[in-house]
Amino acid sequence: MIPFPIVLSAPSGGGKTTVTRRLLQQRADIGYSVSCTTRNPREGEVDGRDYHFLTEAEFRRRRARRQFAESAEVHGRMYGTLRSEVRKVLGSGRHVIMDIDVQGARQFHAAFPESVLIFLLPPSGEVLLRRLVGRDTEGREMQLVRLRAALQEIEEVRRYHYVVVNDDLEATIRRVSSIVDAEEVRHERVPRVSRTVRTLVAQLKQEVQRHAKPTR
Ligand code: ADP
Ligand code: 5GP
């Protein structure tokens, strides 16, 4: 199996974190790329596990050193994916999943063309608002910023390979997991497919000859 990057995008409150966590629990063949951000940690978030929380100066320094495969300003804060995180997980033989915004996804796909881009759509505007408010991690002002951003983010859905409407959570997780399974057996990802086919053809020819011999 040749591991590949999986990019999950959705408007804020769309379910990226929830779906990513569940997939990581369910599948040992997927690892997570911990992003860098200049935003403050939320309650319960751990540096190095949820994000690498950086100062603006540190973020700029890393960007100048070209350590990011992509980076973008999202909701007024900087976010970026470290090349080293992606390589570490792929190098361990696992797919690497990352939850990044639409600008980052475009840049990342240019840097890693083998990546699979999945967009989670909310079932309705009302549900998205309810989930975002219900999560209770942002003040009203920031919730509004995120909802306004959602209007533009959703337009970018056409750039993605797959679109999953995140209505029932279990169904969404199953769908995303099935996408990963299907992508593993895409022709161009199957290792040594030409050699496998050549061997099979040779074996089949022998079988045909054997079968064609008259039996007494
Ligand atoms: P994101 O990471 O995209 O901002 P989250 O994963 O934090 O979104 O989800 C936002 C909120 O919606 C969370 O409280 C989460 O538990 C809830 N949620 C996500 N998906 C579903 C779903 N399919 N059904 C019900 N609640 C959901
Ligand atoms: P949050 O602050 O809610 O964790 O994330 C806000 C937004 O930043 C989400 O759309 C999330 O996908 C995006 N994001 C998280 N990590 C990265 C990253 O490494 N790069 C980019 N471009 N966006 C990211």
Side-chain angles (χ1 to χ4, degrees):
M1 190 264 290
I2 300 173
F4 48 84
I6 305 153
V7 174
L8 202 58
S9 298
S12 192
K16 299 176 294 287
T17 312
T18 311
V19 171
T20 301
R21 280 201 186 135
R22 287 285 303 276
L23 272 178
L24 290 166
Q25 281 166 8
Q26 279 179 18
R27 297 187 59 141
D29 61 342
I30 303 179
Y32 185 59
S33 164
V34 181
S35 292
C36 294
T37 183
T38 61
R39 81 153 163 76
N40 294 323
R42 292 179 187 139
E43 208 176 302
E45 282 184 332
V46 176
D47 187 30
R49 184 194 69 185
D50 299 291
Y51 279 105
H52 299 292
F53 294 100
L54 305 182
T55 60
E56 295 254 349
E58 177 64 9
F59 194 97
R60 274 199 297 273
R61 195 180 63 79
R62 285 177 180 246
R63 198 172 47 186
R65 291 186 177 172
R66 307 183 57 80
Q67 291 183 4
F68 295 121
E70 62 76 29
S71 66
E73 187 180 323
V74 190
H75 316 136
R77 300 292 182 162
M78 294 307 298
Y79 292 81
T81 305
L82 289 169
R83 290 179 203 279
S84 56
E85 286 279 332
V86 177
R87 291 206 189 105
K88 185 175 72 187
V89 181
L90 291 177
S92 71
R94 292 170 300 158
H95 306 304
V96 58
I97 194 163
M98 64 207 73
D99 111 33
I100 63 182
D101 91 306
V102 293
Q103 313 161 67
R106 202 185 316 162
Q107 288 175 43
F108 189 87
H109 190 233
F112 290 85
E114 73 275 29
S115 46
V116 179
L117 273 52
I118 306 173
F119 200 97
L120 296 182
L121 276 178
S124 71
E126 189 202 341
V127 168
L128 181 65
L129 175 64
R130 202 179 329 125
R131 286 183 188 163
L132 185 60
V133 172
R135 193 174 66 188
D136 201 23
T137 50
E138 269 83 26
R140 208 179 135 74
E141 194 103 320
M142 194 38 133
Q143 285 170 357
L144 259 176
V145 168
R146 286 171 179 247
L147 277 175
R148 290 213 172 96
L151 295 172
Q152 277 141 35
E153 287 161 358
I154 284 173
E155 294 290 334
E156 293 291 310
V157 69
R158 64 202 156 82
R159 295 185 189 274
Y160 285 69
H161 300 124
Y162 296 94
V163 183
V164 178
V165 176
N166 179 20
D167 194 345
D168 176 67
L169 182 60
E170 301 308 318
T172 300
I173 294 159
R174 271 200 307 278
R175 289 218 168 97
V176 174
S177 194
S178 307
I179 292 168
V180 177
D181 289 339
E183 284 289 332
E184 279 182 2
V185 289
R186 262 181 96 107
H187 195 136
E188 56 270 37
R189 296 195 205 275
V190 178
R192 296 178 296 277
V193 71
S194 314
R195 201 204 294 173
T196 307
V197 169
R198 271 201 309 276
T199 307
L200 255 175
V201 167
Q203 288 169 348
L204 269 173
K205 279 183 179 162
Q206 277 181 2
E207 291 303 323
V208 169
Q209 274 178 3
R210 210 164 56 86
H211 198 67
K213 276 189 189 155
T215 48
R216 289 169 194 269

